[in-house]
Amino acid sequence: MPISQAEKIWMDGDLVDWQDATIHVLSHAVHYGSGVFEGIRAYETSRGPAVWHLDEHLKRLYRSAKLYHLDIPFSREALTQATADVILANELRACYIRPLVLRGYGEMGVNPLDAPVNVVIAVWPWGAYLGEEALEQGVRIKISSWRRNPQNSLPAAAKATGQYINSVLAKVESLKAGYDEAIMLNEAGMVTDGSGENVFIVRDGVLTTPPIAAGCLDGITRASVIRIARDLGYEVREENLVRTDLYNADECFFTGTAAEITPIREVDDRAVGEGHRGPVTKELQGAFFAATKGDDERYLAWLTFVRDA
Ligand SMILES: Cc1ncc(COP(=O)(O)O)c(C=O)c1O
């Protein structure tokens, strides 16, 4: 998806012009994937732009950094303020937000510990990740021939840049085979997640999503959807799924910051349910987007209104 350029990027404490937010080609992260990052969205509300679950995303960023012994040289409060500042500086009403902490220039070799650390927060306008029509029509997916990183090789608990090479393999395989997205299984053959989304099925009115221990990312949208679904009266289970559970589901959908709630209409050339967005998915989308706009009092605490930050 092309990046639509904004004006300013927050980098190491300052707002710099978009084209000046650069690093050296010999930076450690470029060679060894030694960065950690987040993907966040800010939504337009009647009180101006509001960041969805900013605290949770920043907490996950610090957890990812801890796993890789990466000390972020800014407090969480400072990055909260920086996020608000960069959105306001770019005069964006809604946007995608990409915080990135990377091992910078100065050392070569696998040992990252002496490399300097750069911190970046970029924002830009971004529409629906899998296409606007996908939110209604749903996407076609393939079970990838690539397995998800085993937990003791590259832990799903961290969102590290280098780990996404695994997702890249799965995503490209699915696109080249004519699908929109991939789902990866773990070494035991259980469903984990998409290349950048968690997955849910609906069967007989009950929602099921794989447990985090299956090897999927502990998605913030996943947690929000579990809560919203329970508030709507649905039973939600976190249980292992095999690929045929996806084929035989009444409904299936992705959740993620980028994908929001995207219906899955086909898995491995088998229509899911009626082969289009189902009623539960539609109801959840309605409740989710109301919450992101600040229209549901119950979930207001999930929004950080940037003008008040
Ligand atoms: C592999 C993977 N799974 C799931 C998700 C969804 O997580 P979240 O809802 O926190 O964006 C993402 C996105 O960050 C991801 O990269």
Side-chain angles (χ1 to χ4, degrees):
M1 215 178 180
I3 295 174
S4 83
Q5 188 174 323
E7 293 287 317
K8 298 281 184 189
I9 288 180
W10 186 93
M11 189 166 189
D12 297 327
D14 295 311
L15 287 167
V16 301
D17 287 341
W18 185 272
Q19 59 277 9
D20 294 334
T22 55
I23 56 163
H24 198 280
V25 290
L26 294 180
S27 295
H28 196 276
V30 176
H31 297 254
Y32 303 112
S34 53
V36 296
F37 71 105
E38 270 303 319
I40 317 176
R41 273 188 194 265
Y43 288 93
E44 185 171 358
T45 77
S46 56
R47 289 166 59 190
V51 185
W52 180 247
H53 282 296
L54 181 56
D55 289 348
E56 288 305 314
H57 281 283
L58 290 180
K59 281 183 193 160
R60 192 170 65 187
L61 183 72
Y62 283 83
R63 289 199 301 271
S64 297
K66 176 181 174 182
L67 215 145
Y68 284 97
H69 297 287
L70 180 52
D71 291 325
I72 302 180
F74 293 93
S75 66
R76 197 149 55 80
E77 292 67 35
L79 294 192
T80 300
Q81 189 60 51
T83 305
D85 291 348
V86 70
I87 295 170
L88 291 173
N90 286 292
E91 297 179 1
L92 293 169
R93 287 191 297 215
C95 59
Y96 185 72
I97 305 163
R98 170 53 59 87
L100 170 67
V101 182
L102 60 96
R103 302 277 193 181
Y105 171 78
E107 293 279 327
M108 194 50 80
V110 172
N111 175 11
L113 298 174
D114 296 325
V117 174
N118 296 114
V119 185
V120 176
I121 305 175
V123 296
W124 63 88
W126 223 26
Y129 179 61
L130 294 166
E132 209 53 64
E133 68 294 342
L135 289 176
E136 223 180 288
Q137 306 301 326
V139 290
R140 297 176 58 248
I141 65 145
K142 173 180 173 21
I143 303 294
S144 184
S145 70
W146 296 99
R147 294 294 164 112
R148 184 77 149 97
N149 304 317
Q151 293 274 31
N152 287 308
S153 299
L154 289 170
K159 228 173 133 55
T161 57
Q163 296 182 208
Y164 275 79
I165 279 294
N166 182 223
S167 284
V168 167
L169 285 171
K171 178 81 184 183
V172 171
E173 179 188 60
S174 70
L175 293 177
K176 287 198 174 287
Y179 300 87
D180 303 305
E181 185 52 284
I183 284 183
M184 281 178 281
L185 307 179
N186 62 22
E187 289 296 312
M190 302 297 163
V191 172
T192 63
D193 46 7
S195 68
E197 311 86 359
N198 292 108
V199 62
F200 285 73
I201 63 162
V202 184
R203 195 156 169 186
D204 299 328
V206 175
L207 280 79
T208 308
T209 190
I212 300 308
C216 50
L217 185 76
D218 190 357
I220 290 163
T221 321
R222 173 185 180 278
S224 310
V225 167
I226 290 174
R227 165 77 194 279
I228 290 171
R230 286 185 177 145
D231 288 350
L232 287 168
Y234 289 102
E235 183 185 344
V236 185
R237 299 180 187 156
E238 294 180 69
E239 283 173 7
N240 273 316
L241 298 171
V242 291
R243 65 197 296 167
T244 47
D245 291 323
L246 307 183
Y247 302 164
N248 294 331
D250 299 330
E251 299 180 36
C252 191
F253 59 87
F254 277 134
T255 64
T257 299
E260 298 167 309
I261 299 179
T262 299
I264 297 171
R265 70 168 196 273
E266 229 179 88
V267 181
D268 290 343
D269 304 306
R270 291 154 179 93
V272 177
E274 304 287 319
H276 54 74
R277 176 176 65 180
V280 178
T281 309
K282 189 174 175 191
E283 185 184 8
L284 289 168
Q285 283 179 324
F288 174 81
F289 285 118
T292 60
K293 286 196 201 79
D295 290 346
D296 191 326
E297 291 282 327
R298 287 174 296 179
Y299 310 119
L300 273 184
W302 291 353
L303 290 167
T304 299
F305 294 91
V306 304
R307 288 191 196 135
D308 310 336

